[in-house]
Amino acid sequence: MAPRISYVDPATITDPAMTEELQRCAREGTPRPESQAVRAHVPAVFWSFADTWRTVFHQGVADHSIKELCRVYVSRSVLCEFCGNQRSIKSAKAGLIEDDYRDLINFETSTRYDDKQKAALSYAEAITWDLPTDDAFWARLHAHFSEPELVEIGYFVAVTMGQQRWLRTLNIEHHQVLAGQDGSMAPGFETAEALARSKADPDYWAKSKIRPATAA
């Protein structure tokens, strides 16, 4: 199915900086070039997202891998396949492995995450699902994070939640813009052919904790 908002063809972009950033997206991902090729219809939107992703997600004061776990928790929660099938290269280099993504929806009962990671994920959960927060909730967060870290994680979760809710409506897919590079793609999604095979797996939806919009 065609995307609901067209991709801007990178060959038509005359801004060298925008072209360079799209090439970086293809090479390194997070974000991948397809979502940025949609945002490229409005350069201010393109750069607003690129700058936020660089300074708040890839850089910033809070641990990057904790923000990465929160990002994919949001993906699993709001059913954004496009975002959920990406992985942070920076987190992988820091030691995050694929199994670390598997228990995100049930993080509180999982033995895979430490107390700090669970606290951050509870923060993402509360923001994503509009849950009530009490003194105990905030005491838990303040026990593990500074106020600047809490500002950054909260802002990041809010930004990524809104973006992912939007992207899931667009019918965009990987390997459709500047194809041929697999930067940040999850295992089994590195190429268009691998992506098709993975989605044809009857267990795909259960493994990913994502359900198609038409599923019960």
Side-chain angles (χ1 to χ4, degrees):
M1 185 179 293
R4 298 300 188 179
I5 299 176
S6 64
Y7 301 125
V8 173
D9 183 349
T12 68
I13 295 174
T14 58
D15 179 354
M18 187 177 286
T19 298
E20 182 179 352
E21 173 61 13
L22 278 170
Q23 291 171 344
R24 188 207 64 77
C25 290
R27 185 175 63 252
E28 301 175 17
T30 56
R32 290 285 296 173
E34 290 78 14
S35 62
Q36 280 295 70
V38 171
R39 297 184 186 100
H41 282 285
V42 183
V45 171
F46 178 98
W47 287 115
S48 175
F49 188 82
D51 291 342
T52 296
W53 222 239
R54 182 183 70 255
T55 60
V56 177
F57 179 48
H58 289 290
Q59 301 171 11
V61 297
D63 179 81
H64 174 76
S65 291
I66 282 180
K67 290 181 285 189
E68 166 70 352
L69 290 175
C70 289
R71 181 188 68 81
V72 179
Y73 173 85
V74 172
S75 300
R76 302 281 169 82
S77 297
V78 305
L79 311 183
C80 183
E81 282 185 76
F82 182 80
C83 302
N85 290 333
Q86 298 179 58
R87 300 290 181 266
S88 165
I89 294 173
K90 182 176 179 178
S91 287
K93 289 179 178 178
L96 207 65
I97 62 174
E98 186 62 21
D99 281 348
D100 293 327
Y101 296 93
R102 299 197 188 282
D103 292 342
L104 282 172
I105 293 298
N106 300 309
F107 67 89
E108 290 284 19
T109 58
S110 175
T111 59
R112 180 164 293 280
Y113 311 112
D114 61 27
D115 289 346
K116 185 171 185 176
Q117 290 169 323
K118 287 184 177 182
L121 288 166
S122 75
Y123 197 18
E125 178 186 46
I127 295 168
T128 303
W129 294 104
D130 195 25
L131 301 181
T133 60
D134 56 15
D135 289 345
F137 172 88
W138 283 102
R140 180 187 191 187
L141 290 179
H142 281 291
H144 294 285
F145 299 101
S146 68
E147 289 192 325
E149 288 174 321
L150 290 174
V151 168
E152 183 174 278
I153 294 169
Y155 175 77
F156 172 70
V157 169
V159 168
T160 196
M161 180 184 67
Q163 287 294 307
Q164 293 191 36
R165 287 185 185 277
W166 174 48
L167 293 180
R168 69 181 293 272
T169 73
L170 299 182
N171 295 328
I172 63 175
E173 186 54 279
H174 296 288
H175 310 299
Q176 295 182 339
V177 175
L178 298 177
Q181 299 189 68
D182 63 357
S184 85
M185 293 305 302
F189 297 88
E190 299 90 344
T191 65
E193 294 76 19
L195 182 151
R197 286 194 300 271
S198 292
K199 289 193 173 184
D201 181 348
D203 294 330
Y204 166 68
W205 303 106
K207 289 177 180 177
S208 66
K209 298 293 193 303
I210 294 172
R211 296 291 184 272
T214 56

